[in-house]
Amino acid sequence: MTAAKSAAKQMTVDVISLGCSKNLVDSERLLAQLDSMGIKATHDAPNPHGDVAVINTCAFIGDAKEESIDMILGMAERKKARKLKRLYVMGCLPERYKDELAEAIPEVDGFYGKFDWPKLFEELGKEYRADLRNDRIITTPSHYAYLKISEGCNRFCTYCAIPIITGRHTSRPMEEILDEAKRLADGGVKELQVIAQDLSSYGTDLYKTSKLAELTHRLTEINGIEWVRLHYAYPADFPFDILPEMASNPKVCNYLDLALQHISDNMLKTMHRHITKQQTLDLLSRIRSEVPGIHIRTTFICGHPGETDKDHEELMQFVESQRFERMGAFTYSHEEDTYAWKNYKDDIPEETKERYKADIMELQETISTEINEQKVGSVMRVIIDRYNKEENIYYGRTEFDSPEVDGEVLIKGDKKLKVGNFYDVRITSADQYDLFGELNN
């Protein structure tokens, strides 16, 4: 055995994952590869102390890039202080800025883009195993996992760097996804968070038509899977055949993450969203009509170039009338090489962007509170995510709540519950984010 391989066998690796759940899946695949090689690895350890650190970065917007850079610089300081032997960076940030990063932060031993990170195993004295490319060690609670069904995007919205980072939309073969889902279920996963940059396009490249409904149905047929939740559908070219599947299949959560970004025709056109205001209104009406009780999560951009106070007021009226169950907003970030970067001036003052965002979030807080209060007295099926011994409280979610981004159901620990199990819970009170309840005996 060579010295390099001997060292690799004994090393410990800290994997640090930043950004979205799609990044997290890549980190989990990295962990599985390391495990197959006999390399001890941690994920997002509170106090990283391994010989090697691998940072999986995000570069979606300015704040995400700043977080990634800060983490790299912090670990570079550890290396300077000889508390770390080697430092590697992978993911979206080096996919965009590899040469600039290599020049600016020479302490990093290697930069790997979103799709070439398997090469880093050569640096570790090991060989990447292609036969294990879909194996994962999940880092979420053992009863749920994210399931990535495609990469990339063909939409080319003006503000978005995702197509620059990840390339064109590429669906994974359905059988490959189903095989991964079966293995997750065999490992105890009961809830699948189906993710993609553009769910609406799933299958159009491989099968010449959307296959989201068929895939979703087949996922629910897997033994052990109880809930399937859909994230990040695109409003244009929406696959309407998913709606009867959601309405009739009890294992498909009546929850849809549908990023709308704006509503005024002026802004939809400026953003290259490929949809009009009236088409958006018709889409939302049809979704709610065909799937009664559905909870829609959406996001809006505040302060995109060209947005006026009139556009903002139109968006406010839209949010007030639609009463989205879940909503987020973020301020526009002027991203290099996007259409907006090349063709628009980022001339809306930051204070105006922040005011727009504050306005819409304040309105949404009121709406969310009212919607939550309407659930008081109802009995809801809840999956338990964790138990806080100090508070003596169990934290769970309904089918209308995605992990990390949505609210929770808090249940006093008067009776012992099992994390990962489902319970019927009577809702006794609510606030703007969370529900409070007790077991329904």
Side-chain angles (χ1 to χ4, degrees), residues 49 107 320 341:
H49 60 275
E107 293 82 5
E320 188 166 18
W341 172 272

Side-chain angles (χ1 to χ4, degrees), residues 24-226:
L24 182 65
V25 170
D26 293 338
S27 294
E28 292 175 342
R29 288 176 177 154
L30 171 63
L31 289 167
Q33 290 280 338
L34 292 169
D35 183 68
S36 74
M37 298 167 183
I39 298 176
K40 182 180 178 182
T42 68
H43 179 261
D44 287 349
N47 297 298
H49 60 275
D51 308 299
V52 177
V54 180
I55 306 173
N56 189 3
T57 58
C58 179
F60 179 48
I61 58 175
D63 287 348
K65 287 188 285 188
E66 184 177 349
E67 180 187 26
S68 293
I69 292 293
D70 287 346
M71 179 61 71
I72 297 169
L73 292 175
M75 297 305 285
E77 287 300 316
R78 288 192 72 237
K79 189 181 177 193
K80 286 180 184 178
R82 299 191 177 185
K83 296 179 180 178
L84 179 67
K85 292 180 180 178
R86 281 182 277 176
L87 172 60
Y88 300 101
V89 176
M90 60 180 270
C92 296
L93 199 68
E95 187 71 32
R96 291 196 73 188
Y97 307 108
K98 184 175 182 179
D99 293 341
E100 296 93 326
L101 289 166
E103 183 176 348
I105 315 176
E107 293 82 5
V108 175
D109 295 282
F111 290 96
Y112 302 91
K114 188 164 178 64
F115 303 108
D116 66 1
W117 60 265
K119 293 180 183 176
L120 76 85
F121 291 104
E122 295 177 14
E123 293 290 325
L124 300 179
K126 292 287 186 177
E127 184 176 348
Y128 174 77
R129 289 185 58 181
D131 60 313
L132 302 179
R133 67 186 182 280
N134 293 319
D135 283 16
R136 294 159 55 190
I137 293 178
I138 66 168
T139 58
T140 53
S142 60
H143 54 277
Y144 74 81
Y146 294 97
L147 184 65
K148 183 161 56 172
I149 66 172
S150 67
E151 291 279 8
C153 183
N154 293 348
R155 305 293 184 167
F156 294 99
C157 302
T158 57
Y159 51 84
C160 187
I162 294 298
I164 300 170
I165 298 170
T166 61
R168 305 284 290 186
H169 172 81
T170 305
S171 302
R172 294 177 63 197
M174 191 179 300
E175 296 304 325
E176 179 180 292
I177 297 170
L178 293 170
D179 177 69
E180 181 177 343
K182 287 173 186 173
R183 283 185 280 118
L184 288 170
D186 289 343
V189 168
K190 301 176 181 179
E191 178 184 3
L192 294 173
Q193 317 291 342
V194 178
I195 56 172
Q197 190 61 37
D198 176 10
L199 281 184
S200 299
S201 295
Y202 175 72
T204 55
D205 52 333
L206 290 180
Y207 311 108
K208 309 310 176 188
T209 186
S210 173
K211 289 289 186 178
L212 181 62
E214 180 182 342
L215 173 64
T216 301
H217 181 80
R218 292 183 68 181
L219 287 171
T220 65
E221 292 180 324
I222 296 173
N223 187 40
I225 298 301
E226 296 292 328

Side-chain angles (χ1 to χ4, degrees), residues 294-335:
I294 191 172
H295 280 41
I296 298 176
R297 162 169 278 283
T298 194
T299 53
F300 296 108
I301 296 174
C302 301
H304 184 284
E307 185 173 16
T308 65
D309 284 348
K310 181 180 178 183
D311 293 318
H312 174 62
E313 285 304 317
E314 190 172 348
L315 179 57
M316 292 284 288
Q317 292 168 14
F318 172 67
V319 170
E320 188 166 18
S321 65
Q322 288 293 320
R323 296 178 63 79
F324 294 103
E325 290 80 9
R326 310 281 183 259
M327 195 208 79
F330 58 96
T331 58
Y332 170 77
S333 177
H334 208 44
E335 292 301 309

